[in-house]
Amino acid sequence: MRPLTYPSARDAPAPALAPHRAAFRGQRLVGLFRRPLGLVVAASVWLATLGNVPLWLALDRLGVLDGTRGLAFAGGLALAIAAVLALLLGALAWRFTLKPAVLFMLFASAAGTHFMLAFGVVIDPGMMVNVLQTDPREAADLLTLRFGATVLLLGMLPALAVWRWPLRPATWPRQLAHNAALCACSLLLLVASTLAIFQGLSSTTRNHKQLRYLINPLNSIYALGHTAAAPFKRGPSRLQPIGEDATLGASHAAQRRAPLLVLVLGETARSANFAINGYGRATTPELQALGVTSFRNAWACGTSTAASLPCMFSHLPRDEFDRREGNYEDLLDVLQRAGLAVLWLDNQAGCKGVCDRVFSARTADAPDAALCNAGECFDAFMLQGLEERIAALPAERRARGVVVVMHQMGSHGPAYYKRSPAAFKRFTPECASHSLQDCSTEQVVNAYDNTIVYTDHFLAATVRWLEAQQDRADAALLYVSDHGESLGENRLYLHGLPYAIAPEVQKRVPWITWLSPGFSDRRGVTAECLQGSIDTRLSHDNYFHSVLGLIDVRTSVYRPALDVYAGCAKL
């Protein structure tokens, strides 16, 4: 039999093997994606691109992405972000750790995307502290349909794909080698992409430092790590005592009536929206009728409650407070050590540790049907039963003097419309949504201004309550807000931006003082005297020392130069 012949080499049976080779390559590709490497690459690319929409929009608004060079910069930056993510995930690319890590990054990125787009905030350590300290009541105001849609599209749908992603197990020596190779390649890609865009990256981040806090989910990872490490940076957790030499001053020795000082801590009140400070709307008619003194150039030491409250009650100025190596007692400890009775009433999400060692009560623990709804109370509820609360304090301390701290709900957003009763909604139409970006600027400002109208009423009601106590106490009130608020200016809402880049409206706060005739006589401080310094710049740095001076507590940690009332007070 003659052997088979073929017209040419191309007609040989080799082509019959081609489908097998193609199938083999396909199997290798499927096998690649069954390994952790495939999931790491897919997750890193997804997060670096779709997970960073706020970053790309911010860069576009700055004009950084214009033209071919801008697109090349965006591509290089996306590669650099993906490389960092792959480096992190590469270290966790084990069978039982990779998927949880990817899922965490997806949901952190989705939540961060919503809040950065909706409110113009950034995710930094300060914002992370706010998130961790948010109570369910505050969180409920932030859970909108838009939040749910964002988390669904950018978090839950890719998370479902990750959960169903098949991972082929490997022996740990082989997996270790794969992970090491993945990390090495990621590091090389990071170096190469960073060098390619270094000039543009350096100038952009130097001029716009907030951009670094827009990189998802690296911003959340950094903020969590920074927050977790903070306690260890300050050494032992034991509080360092201050004011151990605190005593009551000369005004107490000759007093006929004990002093009663009410410290009202405003919440999210910005100075610019107080008519008493020059605002064009009648937001503070009751305070103006009372003849209070309002300092118009006061500044907060933080842009969030978690940052401001501990700072303003500290004996340290803001720059020293931020650099402190240990934790100290605060103003309330010194007042109590001097022998005064101290009471903290909270209508907010807690005192951030400031009131831990004094008598305290929360409105949520005893709601009132007329002033409370769904676990939230209007600020006037703090006046209900106040005399009984004070009477329950130790009698020997009450005889020396009483300091009551009222922590307001105030103007806490984004649900401004919930912070004022119907009778005080002077400005309409108001935004009745938690999604402020869905309302017009006028509606947002109307809702916010109505909260200031109600704060004006609450402060005036507190003054009237203090006036009723004058036969047995020398009464005074000091109102200072913890921080301000953005109402849509430059596409920013709420508060909490890093202090260095936060706008003035988030840092400039009201500082209002009312003194009864009896209190003015005992301390020598009068509204007429204070009026001469209402435009003097002051800040939360002055708060600790001003309260001590006002109620006449003497201690070595008191600094007269920081007491805004010292120039008018009796020595």
Side-chain angles (χ1 to χ4, degrees):
M1 182 180 294
R2 296 179 60 187
L4 295 174
T5 60
Y6 298 94
S8 68
R10 288 185 303 174
D11 297 321
L17 299 176
H20 298 285
R21 290 180 181 143
F24 179 70
R25 294 192 191 99
Q27 290 174 356
R28 291 189 65 183
L29 184 61
V30 171
L32 177 66
F33 277 92
R34 286 179 179 272
R35 296 174 184 169
L37 171 63
L39 180 54
V40 168
V41 171
S44 299
V45 171
W46 172 277
L47 290 167
T49 53
L50 293 176
N52 271 285
V53 171
L55 173 65
W56 306 127
L57 291 177
L59 290 171
D60 184 57
R61 286 195 295 268
L62 295 172
V64 176
L65 304 185
D66 294 346
T68 304
R69 179 175 295 181
L71 293 177
F73 174 81
L77 181 57
L79 282 176
I81 296 172
V84 175
L85 293 170
L87 187 62
L88 293 174
L89 291 174
L92 298 170
W94 301 90
R95 185 179 182 186
F96 297 107
T97 58
L98 179 57
K99 285 188 178 181
V102 174
L103 293 175
F104 167 78
M105 289 188 177
L106 286 172
F107 283 107
S109 175
T113 293
H114 168 74
F115 291 117
M116 289 188 285
L117 288 179
F119 303 117
V121 301
V122 298
I123 310 298
D124 70 330
M127 185 61 67
M128 186 56 65
V129 171
N130 295 335
V131 171
L132 295 175
Q133 294 187 359
T134 297
D135 65 11
R137 180 178 57 185
E138 291 178 323
D141 289 342
L142 299 171
L143 300 180
T144 63
L145 289 176
R146 184 170 298 195
F147 173 81
T150 304
V151 172
L152 174 64
L153 292 174
L154 296 180
M156 294 188 69
L157 292 181
L160 180 61
V162 169
W163 192 254
R164 294 173 61 87
W165 193 291
L167 289 180
R168 187 172 64 187
T171 61
W172 75 263
R174 189 172 184 178
Q175 190 61 57
L176 180 62
H178 289 170
N179 293 357
L182 174 57
C183 291
C185 291
S186 301
L187 185 59
L188 288 174
L189 178 60
L190 174 61
V191 172
S193 55
T194 302
L195 289 176
I197 62 170
F198 182 77
Q199 184 175 358
L201 181 65
S202 176
S203 61
T204 301
T205 55
R206 184 170 57 251
N207 295 325
H208 306 282
K209 295 181 180 180
Q210 72 274 18
L211 292 175
R212 69 189 68 179
Y213 298 118
L214 294 177
I215 303 176
N216 263 331
L218 300 176
N219 48 7
S220 295
I221 295 172
Y222 167 76
L224 277 172
H226 185 280
T227 303
F232 300 100
K233 295 178 181 178
R234 298 199 173 109
S237 59
R238 188 180 71 85
L239 286 176
Q240 299 183 36
I242 61 170
E244 293 183 293
D245 58 345
T247 58
L248 299 176
S251 65
H252 292 268
Q255 69 183 19
R256 292 185 297 109
R257 294 179 298 269
L260 172 57
L261 174 61
V262 173
L263 305 175
V264 180
L265 299 179
E267 169 63 34
T268 321
R270 61 190 224 172
S271 178
N273 289 59
F274 277 62
I276 199 171
N277 292 335
Y279 188 45
R281 284 178 149 184
T283 53
T284 56
E286 295 189 59
L287 285 175
Q288 288 170 282
L290 288 171
V292 301
T293 301
S294 180
F295 292 101
R296 301 184 297 193
N297 194 15
W299 296 75
C301 61
T303 61
S304 68
T305 305
S308 287
L309 229 59
C311 178
M312 68 189 292
F313 278 79
S314 169
H315 67 294
L316 300 172
R318 186 178 71 86
D319 56 346
E320 293 182 31
F321 182 81
D322 291 340
R323 299 195 312 267
R324 72 194 188 282
E325 295 182 354
N327 291 312
Y328 297 87
E329 293 179 339
D330 58 48
L331 171 63
L332 302 187
D333 293 296
V334 178
L335 294 174
Q336 196 163 243
R337 183 166 286 126
L340 300 172
V342 181
L343 172 65
W344 180 287
L345 297 178
D346 205 289
N347 195 33
Q348 248 290 334
C351 66
K352 315 306 179 187
V354 172
C355 66
D356 287 354
R357 294 164 299 281
V358 301
F359 293 96
S360 61
R362 290 171 51 88
T363 56
D365 296 334
D368 177 88
L371 292 171
C372 304
N373 181 39
E376 180 176 314
C377 300
F378 291 115
D379 290 323
F381 181 54
M382 288 189 285
L383 293 173
Q384 301 294 320
L386 182 53
E387 292 181 42
E388 290 77 8
R389 292 186 185 277
I390 293 175
L393 298 173
E396 68 279 7
R397 290 183 174 273
R398 284 189 286 113
R400 302 184 191 105
V402 177
V403 178
V404 177
V405 187
M406 295 182 175
H407 189 196
Q408 276 188 282
M409 175 59 72
S411 303
H412 194 283
Y416 304 125
Y417 70 96
K418 294 170 61 178
R419 314 302 179 219
S420 58
F424 296 90
K425 295 187 183 299
R426 183 169 300 162
F427 306 106
T428 57
E430 69 172 4
C431 179
S433 170
H434 297 192
S435 299
L436 299 179
Q437 65 276 18
D438 293 341
C439 299
S440 68
T441 300
E442 177 189 11
Q443 291 172 327
V444 173
V445 173
N446 284 346
Y448 181 84
D449 282 351
N450 288 334
T451 69
I452 304 301
V453 171
Y454 184 63
T455 288
D456 171 68
H457 170 74
F458 167 66
L459 293 176
T462 305
V463 168
R464 289 191 290 271
W465 180 86
L466 287 170
E467 287 176 333
Q469 315 301 314
Q470 290 186 85
D471 59 335
R472 54 183 179 274
D474 292 331
L477 177 144
L478 172 57
Y479 166 78
V480 183
S481 184
D482 57 353
H483 55 79
E485 187 86 327
S486 287
L487 299 176
E489 302 92 347
N490 299 315
R491 303 180 184 180
L492 296 177
Y493 293 93
L494 305 183
H495 52 268
L497 279 177
Y499 199 87
I501 63 173
E504 178 179 313
V505 290
Q506 291 191 25
K507 297 185 287 189
R508 198 163 180 173
V509 295
W511 182 307
I512 294 172
T513 309
W514 174 85
L515 306 171
S516 68
F519 200 98
S520 290
D521 288 343
R522 71 181 288 134
R523 296 301 296 126
V525 181
T526 64
E528 292 75 20
C529 180
L530 295 177
Q531 196 66 25
S533 56
I534 60 172
D535 290 314
T536 301
R537 184 182 175 106
L538 61 147
S539 73
H540 283 167
D541 291 355
N542 301 95
Y543 191 79
F544 177 96
H545 309 279
S546 298
V547 172
L548 289 181
L550 196 58
I551 203 163
D552 196 15
V553 168
R554 300 304 169 193
T555 171
S556 57
V557 294
Y558 166 73
R559 301 185 193 179
L562 293 176
D563 179 359
V564 300
Y565 306 105
C568 297
K570 297 177 181 177
L571 297 178

